Amino acid sequence: MQTVTDTLQPEIMAGVLTGTVYSPLPDRVREHQAELVFPAFHYSLSAPVVEMFMVADSGQSTVKIALDEAVTMICELKGKRLNGREKMDVSVSFENAADRARASFVAATLQCLLWLAGPMKLRIPALELDLEVEFIAPLEEVNQTMHIRHVAYRLMVIERAFDRKLTRSLLFFDADVDRIAFVYHAIVDRSFVWPFFQAQFPFPANEQSLDILKDADRPSVRRLNVAHYEADVLGVSLALGRAIVTIENGVIVNLEEIGRELGTLDGHEFPALIKSLTGAATYEFPDAPRLSETKWDKRIEEFLALDRQLDEAIFQAANQLAAQSLADLNEEEKAEVTARPQFD
Amino acid sequence: MRLALDSDVFTDWRYQKPHTMRQIRDYRTRFGRFPRLTAMTVFEARFGFENKIAKSPSVDERLERDRLAMENLIRLSGVLEIEERTTAIAAYISARLSQSERNRLRADVFIAATSLAHGYGVATRNQRDFELIGHHLPPEITNLSLAIWKP
């Protein structure tokens, strides 16, 4: 079974904690700045309002805010004026004009901020709009969106290092996520340990290859040079250059065949099947493309700087559930509800 | 390696053991998501509440509140289901254990088999038993990856 990492949730809802909206709003407004303030994260951002319209006498208005070149945040405001003040609900969705990693990263970051940073303020000073809003979502949706953000950033790194546009769709399977992580580590870490079970490596039938038969009958460290390593990411083959694969506790699976092939010493190529008894190998990619040292633009740098706060916020939310799952019980009851079932 | 939590580690998290919290925090940062739970781990965790509730003469709001928190945590983590391939791996392993090992490790065999079927390793503090399981894998599986999360 493969697990799918879903696309972003289409819409998130919030109740307005405090705020006022002065009606009537202009039918269409351009070139005003919206300000999104997240006090708990000590972070705020400004972005242009690209469109705003209201349905006459309905109390419904829509504000579109351009967060990034391909990402628009759509705020639907629904409310009625009561005692001179607006009682409103706000829903937010994101329009993603390009199925690209950057757009997903930007939209997912904003969505996670709305969910994890506590009450936030939405201000459009030119329109005298000033709302304090708190968005709440099921934690599994937040977790999923954090994962999309994580994978989207890694894709951005890969796109930048290879100067290639990769993404058509951000619907990932676990296998895609693994391949993206592998190439990301090759670019950023250069040397890393990765699950390795069994793989074929090509060898020429010559005297140099006789080394492979050393200690062939027992597990040992197998260090293999791969001249050209290619990895597939979302259907695109990416050249990572030379690779050195070090397999601890490596054993040769097709020893008999290798002995036969090597015996010819005629230079022809044959496959050696090697497996790791520990299920891991160290990969080194000395020639893999590097991430340029130029910083990302301001928006992305700012969003990356939120990593620790977002990570900590979601961890704390989950950890609170873990703690709460035993919080009301005494020690004896805790032992009882956590005891493993006995069937005999 | 992506990991699924063994029941003992899941319990340690619920008990707020610092070393487990640290490992889960690190894992989440590295992988961008929380470790998964296997269906067997979820069964064992749910059994604890059901067993207590079944013996209670009336509804206990404290239990319900705590159970709800655990259910939310399960949904958040995500569950690796027991599928046909899981049963094939579990049957292979079980048949190669002694009768006493089979009885003692029934749940752990399914935790390991489910993790393997989905391409996951197991985070456990029970190194000895999972290593024993790892010595009896079907030939097409070379290794059961373990992360030992102990203090």
Side-chain angles (χ1 to χ4, degrees):
Chain A
M1 193 200 86
Q2 289 196 300
T3 307
V4 179
T5 294
D6 209 348
T7 49
L8 294 173
Q9 296 300 314
E11 185 176 64
I12 54 180
M13 303 289 291
V16 174
L17 301 179
T18 62
T20 54
V21 170
Y22 292 88
S23 302
L25 295 168
D27 285 347
R28 200 171 174 84
V29 180
R30 284 186 183 276
E31 295 179 3
H32 292 307
Q33 288 289 306
E35 191 183 11
L36 284 70
V37 184
F38 302 92
F41 277 27
H42 307 289
Y43 177 65
S44 65
L45 69 90
S46 292
V49 174
V50 288
E51 199 171 335
M52 182 161 181
F53 52 88
M54 64 179 296
V55 181
D57 301 326
S58 71
Q60 293 184 22
S61 39
T62 300
V63 183
K64 292 190 176 183
I65 300 166
L67 288 176
D68 205 47
E69 57 199 30
V71 182
T72 304
M73 177 175 158
I74 304 166
C75 302
E76 303 273 357
L77 311 169
K78 295 175 189 170
K80 290 178 180 171
R81 183 174 284 275
L82 291 172
N83 302 323
R85 291 179 70 84
E86 290 283 342
K87 167 89 175 82
M88 303 198 76
D89 285 322
V90 179
S91 65
V92 169
S93 57
F94 293 91
E95 209 170 67
N96 192 336
D99 278 340
R100 295 288 312 284
R102 180 189 171 103
S104 286
F105 177 77
V106 168
T109 302
L110 221 295
Q111 200 157 339
C112 291
L113 267 173
L114 294 175
W115 281 329
L116 290 171
M120 58 83 65
K121 291 175 179 162
L122 172 61
R123 294 179 184 142
I124 305 177
L127 303 173
E128 298 185 55
L129 183 122
D130 187 347
L131 302 174
E132 187 179 16
V133 189
E134 182 160 24
F135 292 88
I136 294 167
L139 211 45
E140 62 264 30
E141 285 180 23
V142 186
N143 188 41
Q144 187 79 318
T145 308
M146 283 288 284
H147 189 236
I148 289 170
R149 178 180 185 272
H150 181 85
V151 177
Y153 172 67
R154 290 183 163 187
L155 267 177
M156 285 166 59
V157 168
I158 295 169
E159 285 188 336
R160 195 174 197 196
F162 281 92
D163 196 21
R164 296 277 300 265
K165 293 180 180 178
L166 291 172
T167 41
R168 294 291 300 161
S169 160
L170 283 173
L171 187 70
F172 301 126
F173 291 97
D174 272 352
D176 295 322
V177 174
D178 285 347
R179 283 192 282 264
I180 290 166
F182 185 90
V183 176
Y184 171 84
H185 288 305
I187 294 165
V188 174
D189 301 323
R190 323 295 290 178
S191 172
F192 55 97
V193 177
W194 195 254
F196 177 97
F197 299 105
Q198 184 167 290
Q200 274 191 173
F201 293 88
F203 280 84
N206 58 27
E207 297 213 356
Q208 285 77 36
S209 296
L210 289 170
D211 270 1
I212 195 177
L213 294 175
K214 268 189 194 164
D215 300 322
D217 55 341
R218 57 181 173 164
S220 62
V221 177
R222 309 266 166 199
R223 191 173 158 89
L224 302 156
N225 285 288
V226 181
H228 303 287
Y229 197 105
E230 295 211 346
D232 180 276
V233 171
L234 300 176
V236 176
S237 184
L238 299 173
L240 293 170
R242 190 162 51 96
I244 302 152
V245 185
T246 307
I247 305 160
E248 305 286 341
N249 282 312
V251 294
I252 295 171
V253 178
N254 57 341
L255 192 55
E256 204 174 303
E257 184 188 341
I258 289 173
R260 208 169 44 243
E261 299 279 1
L262 264 178
T264 66
L265 289 178
D266 61 1
H268 80 278
E269 206 168 74
F270 64 90
L273 191 55
I274 298 176
K275 78 173 178 182
S276 164
L277 298 182
T278 43
T282 302
Y283 287 80
E284 294 169 64
F285 290 99
D287 307 326
R290 291 179 184 276
L291 192 58
S292 106
E293 288 183 10
T294 315
K295 283 191 166 186
W296 299 94
D297 58 63
K298 181 172 175 286
R299 178 74 84 223
I300 300 298
E301 285 291 336
E302 283 180 1
F303 279 9
L304 287 173
L306 295 167
D307 276 359
R308 281 186 62 180
Q309 291 183 93
L310 289 170
D311 283 343
E312 190 59 19
I314 192 157
F315 172 74
Q316 288 302 340
N319 196 51
Q320 205 174 342
L321 289 177
Q324 179 59 51
S325 75
L326 295 173
D328 295 304
L329 309 179
N330 62 38
E331 291 306 314
E332 193 181 331
E333 290 170 320
K334 284 181 190 175
E336 206 177 333
V337 300
T338 56
R340 301 184 77 174
Q342 298 298 319
F343 296 103
D344 301 316
Chain B
M1 182 73 180
R2 290 169 294 167
L3 294 172
L5 300 185
D6 170 29
S7 298
D8 290 344
V9 171
F10 187 52
T11 299
D12 284 350
W13 189 15
R14 295 168 63 201
Y15 267 97
Q16 297 284 281
K17 297 280 175 67
H19 68 278
T20 308
M21 287 161 58
R22 189 172 57 248
Q23 294 282 10
I24 287 173
R25 179 192 267 119
D26 290 350
Y27 180 94
R28 211 219 68 78
T29 302
R30 204 163 62 248
F31 288 86
R33 62 161 60 147
F34 288 95
R36 296 281 172 94
L37 302 172
T38 68
M40 181 55 77
T41 305
V42 171
F43 157 72
E44 293 198 304
R46 284 180 174 152
F47 173 84
F49 278 107
E50 292 297 345
N51 194 36
K52 176 86 177 144
I53 288 165
K55 292 172 187 165
S56 301
S58 58
V59 175
D60 185 335
E61 286 182 8
R62 299 171 312 131
L63 271 180
E64 285 304 323
R65 201 162 42 238
D66 290 4
R67 180 165 75 158
L68 180 63
M70 189 187 73
E71 290 297 334
N72 285 332
L73 184 59
I74 290 168
R75 271 201 297 280
L76 166 69
S77 303
V79 180
L80 302 179
E81 304 291 351
I82 294 173
E83 295 177 344
E84 190 272 336
R85 182 161 155 71
T86 306
T87 64
I89 297 169
Y92 187 98
I93 296 167
S94 295
R96 284 154 181 82
L97 296 173
S98 69
Q99 182 67 48
S100 65
E101 288 167 345
R102 198 156 44 234
N103 290 341
R104 185 167 56 82
L105 301 178
R106 191 174 351 210
D108 290 339
V109 166
F110 267 89
I111 289 170
T114 310
S115 301
L116 287 165
H118 289 266
Y120 281 65
V122 179
T124 181
R125 59 174 147 86
N126 186 358
Q127 182 169 2
R128 196 188 56 177
D129 286 344
F130 276 93
E131 281 184 350
L132 174 64
I133 290 168
H135 286 142
H136 298 288
L137 302 180
E140 73 275 13
I141 299 172
T142 58
N143 182 260
L144 169 63
S145 293
L146 298 179
I148 308 303
W149 289 1
K150 287 201 288 199

